[in-house]
Amino acid sequence: MDNQAPSIKSTIITFGVILGSISVIFQLMLFFLDMHYKNDSTAGIVSLIIMVGVLLYSFISFKNQNQGFISLSECLKTGLGVSLVSALIGIIYTQILVNFLDPDTMQKSLDLTIDTLRVENPEMPQEALDTTRSIQEKMSSPLIFSAVQIIFALFFGFIISLIGGLIVKKSRPE
């Protein structure tokens, strides 16, 4: 059993860096296309597909390193670990983005959200729009935004790991 712990750790670090790097490259692509602040659902779906692919590949890689066996708990540990490492890399990228590459990112995102609300709800009072803006400004502080990134990464990592683990698990014969 002691042989598996380093294997899980190395798998987590390797695939966490891979997922984080692919995600940063994808986010840089969005930045260069000036789409990084638009919260486009297509970009979210592509990010989710990337995450699913890398997590499933990490499970299969770990399974191959361990004579073709992997348990559901090993899938969950691996998936959550990979998601956490990737989220930390994403937080570093986000801080670089909002502090150096495009300091107006959060403001652009807030303005776009308010404009969308105005178009979709023309009868919405200005007071409600102001309240929405103030809540979003509080939620976009670096600490809260980083916490939300980690929470979402772990949530989706757990769901993907649970489903993927149920698919790829193979118990050792007794």
Side-chain angles (χ1 to χ4, degrees):
M1 287 297 233
D2 291 337
N3 298 358
Q4 291 181 352
S7 184
I8 286 178
K9 184 178 179 181
S10 66
T11 301
I12 287 171
I13 292 170
T14 301
F15 286 95
V17 170
I18 289 170
L19 179 58
S21 300
I22 292 171
S23 298
V24 166
I25 290 168
F26 180 66
Q27 293 300 320
L28 281 170
M29 181 195 73
L30 292 175
F31 171 73
F32 289 122
L33 294 172
D34 199 32
M35 296 175 61
H36 60 288
Y37 61 90
K38 294 184 180 177
N39 298 327
D40 185 34
S41 61
T42 306
I45 291 169
V46 170
S47 294
L48 192 60
I49 291 170
I50 291 168
M51 187 177 193
V52 168
V54 172
L55 287 179
L56 287 176
Y57 190 66
S58 72
F59 303 154
I60 292 167
S61 174
F62 180 79
K63 185 177 178 180
N64 290 338
Q65 292 173 6
N66 290 290
Q67 296 112 16
F69 300 107
I70 189 169
S71 67
L72 180 59
S73 67
E74 289 169 329
C75 286
L76 289 171
K77 287 177 196 174
T78 302
L80 289 172
V82 168
S83 298
L84 180 62
V85 170
S86 173
L88 294 174
I89 292 170
I91 288 169
I92 292 168
Y93 166 74
T94 301
Q95 292 307 311
I96 291 170
L97 174 71
V98 299
N99 289 313
F100 302 108
L101 296 176
D102 187 8
D104 296 330
T105 297
M106 293 300 183
Q107 190 61 44
K108 289 177 187 177
S109 181
L110 287 171
D111 292 343
L112 182 64
T113 302
I114 296 301
D115 290 344
T116 303
L117 278 173
R118 279 192 185 123
V119 169
E120 291 176 358
N121 305 301
E123 72 284 345
M124 187 177 228
Q126 184 62 38
E127 178 177 293
L129 291 171
D130 293 340
T131 302
T132 301
R133 179 180 284 281
S134 70
I135 290 170
Q136 279 195 314
E137 285 172 349
K138 290 175 188 166
M139 293 298 289
S140 63
S141 75
L143 187 61
I144 292 175
F145 196 74
S146 297
V148 169
Q149 273 186 286
I150 289 173
I151 290 167
F152 273 99
L154 291 176
F155 174 76
F156 286 112
F158 177 77
I159 299 297
I160 294 166
S161 299
L162 182 61
I163 295 168
L166 290 170
I167 294 169
V168 302
K169 76 174 181 166
K170 183 175 180 186
S171 301
R172 293 186 186 275
E174 294 181 22

